[in-house]
Amino acid sequence: MLLKGTLLKGYSGFYYVYSEDRVWECSLRGRFRVKKQDFIPGDKVMILSDRGIKATIEEVLARENSLIRPNIANVDQALLVLAMSTPDTDFNLLDRLLVQVAHAGIEPVIVFTKYDLARESDLSPYEYYRTIGCRVFYVSNILAQGMEEVREIVRGRVSVLAGPSGAGKSSLLNSLEPSLKLKTGSVSDKLGRGKHTTRHVELLEAAKGLIADTPGFSSLYLPPMRKEQLQEYFPEFGPYRKECRFKDCLHVKEPGCALREAVQGGEMTGLRYEHYRQFLEEVKAAENKY
Ligand SMILES: Nc1nc2c(ncn2[C@@H]2O[C@H](COP(=O)(O)OP(=O)(O)OP(=O)(O)O)[C@@H](O)[C@H]2O)c(=O)[nH]1
Ligand SMILES: [Mg+2]
Ligand SMILES: [Zn+2]
């Protein structure tokens, strides 16, 4: 019997594939082993089973999309999970994640965790992301607040959680699906950093969908792209870009740059623009390597 399934995880030489509402423990055909073909969670595979729960992977289908960090394929959406406090919200990482996800053609959803610890009475840096077209949710995993909204968006879809260590990705999954009992780790007081508790990418059945728990990270390279392309991932630049004197304006030093004027005049947030400038330098440096 040949079945189509989704690879949940690879572990100790076995591959766990979700198909027909159950999990199959699969080994590889010799030709895959020889080629050392790379499988990543989310890969669509054809499996051959006789009876029981064991099967072999016969074929891997082409990927519709993929991310390198976290390493996953064929997701419907990426939940970018960042704490509002402990650790402090890393907006630079959030903007990087938004570029990476958009570049991969994957829809972002922002989930701010630890709402119960949020000190800020001013939510505007968080709410800002709504104004640029993102969906934004606030949750407390400890108080189980905001779960209904998250349930709604993950139902029937394949989602990946991405964000720093200690942000509460595994905790979020536990809140959605308590039977998972995933390991969570404390955040060190001194450094405000997580402890890298989750070590592998794994798709899990949760809240009537498939959701990948992933290891947290604090640094992220931008995907390779042309320097002109970066601004496409900052949707709020759109209206100003049209007004720049030069068509190929990169909004750094060019005279008559409407975008820079808007930032200087306080019309547009400076933080995202700063991140754009920083990312642009990184994109240029990477471009020059080839
Ligand atoms: N107060 C509060 N604490 C939370 C919340 N969510 C998670 N935590 C705590 O934050 C710490 C880190 O949570 P984890 O779920 O392990 O974080 P993670 O994102 O999975 O981290 P890695 O696996 O290291 O990438 C734990 O001590 C959790 O109890 C929340 O909404 N509110
Ligand atoms: Mg974790
Ligand atoms: Zn410009």
Side-chain angles (χ1 to χ4, degrees):
M1 181 171 52
L2 201 58
L3 297 171
K4 186 177 171 185
T6 303
L7 179 65
L8 300 179
K9 66 167 174 179
Y11 189 74
S12 304
F14 288 105
Y15 293 84
Y16 295 84
V17 173
Y18 186 74
S19 178
E20 314 244 293
D21 293 325
R22 55 184 276 204
V23 181
W24 306 75
E25 184 189 283
C26 301
S27 46
L28 298 185
R29 282 253 171 246
R31 64 190 174 98
F32 286 135
R33 228 176 347 240
V34 171
K35 272 194 194 166
K36 283 204 177 111
Q37 182 164 354
D38 231 1
F39 298 93
I40 58 176
D43 268 333
K44 298 283 177 216
V45 293
M46 300 303 296
I47 61 171
L48 185 65
S49 81
D50 33 27
R51 275 179 201 185
I53 58 162
K54 292 197 192 295
T56 51
I57 294 180
E58 298 292 308
E59 192 188 346
V60 188
L61 308 180
R63 288 175 189 158
E64 268 180 30
N65 61 45
S66 64
L67 289 173
I68 291 171
R69 217 173 182 199
N71 203 204
I72 188 134
N74 304 318
V75 291
D76 297 317
Q77 59 192 2
L79 271 54
L80 312 182
V81 181
L82 291 102
M84 299 181 77
S85 175
T86 337
D88 288 341
T89 316
D90 185 343
F91 287 104
N92 188 297
L93 185 66
L94 174 56
D95 288 341
R96 266 173 208 280
L97 280 163
L98 285 169
V99 170
Q100 188 210 22
V101 161
H103 186 79
I106 296 168
E107 197 189 333
V109 176
I110 302 175
V111 181
F112 291 119
T113 56
K114 312 200 190 187
Y115 191 63
D116 54 295
L117 298 180
R119 289 178 297 260
E120 302 84 350
S121 47
D122 178 16
L123 285 181
S124 53
Y126 299 90
E127 285 293 298
Y128 178 77
Y129 289 90
R130 279 190 217 281
T131 68
I132 61 166
C134 293
R135 284 183 293 168
V136 176
F137 296 92
Y138 299 93
V139 304
S140 167
N141 297 314
I142 298 292
L143 304 176
Q145 279 170 353
M147 291 304 143
E148 282 319 303
E149 289 86 346
V150 178
R151 263 176 218 294
E152 218 165 277
I153 57 161
V154 297
R155 186 189 302 135
R157 310 189 81 193
V158 181
S159 312
V160 60
L161 306 181
S165 178
K169 299 179 294 300
S170 303
S171 302
L172 177 64
L173 268 162
N174 283 338
S175 302
L176 292 169
E177 203 64 59
S179 63
L180 287 174
K181 297 195 176 66
L182 297 169
K183 207 169 146 204
T184 63
S186 58
V187 173
S188 85
D189 284 340
K190 266 192 226 142
L191 303 168
R193 284 195 209 133
K195 293 191 172 151
H196 297 281
T197 309
T198 304
R199 293 288 177 173
H200 304 281
V201 177
E202 174 176 5
L203 272 167
L204 299 152
E205 293 179 68
K208 302 195 173 96
L210 288 179
I211 310 177
D213 195 11
T214 65
F217 49 82
S218 52
S219 61
L220 181 66
Y221 286 113
L222 296 164
M225 66 177 93
R226 288 173 297 104
K227 57 185 185 300
E228 298 77 22
Q229 206 181 343
L230 180 65
Q231 54 189 314
E232 308 284 340
Y233 304 126
F234 289 77
E236 69 269 53
F237 291 1
Y240 302 106
R241 275 167 52 188
K242 284 190 262 171
E243 307 298 323
C244 293
R245 186 181 306 163
F246 300 106
K247 251 203 150 100
D248 56 356
C249 189
L250 288 175
H251 325 297
V252 182
K253 291 194 283 267
E254 299 89 337
C257 173
L259 182 61
R260 229 174 53 234
E261 279 162 23
V263 174
Q264 278 157 4
E267 235 178 282
M268 211 185 66
T269 164
L271 190 60
R272 290 259 300 167
Y273 175 69
E274 255 176 54
H275 292 162
Y276 165 77
R277 295 272 304 252
Q278 188 195 341
F279 297 171
L280 186 66
E281 289 311 310
E282 293 178 29
V283 167
K284 280 182 184 167
E287 226 181 18
N288 291 338
K289 276 192 213 154
Y290 305 111

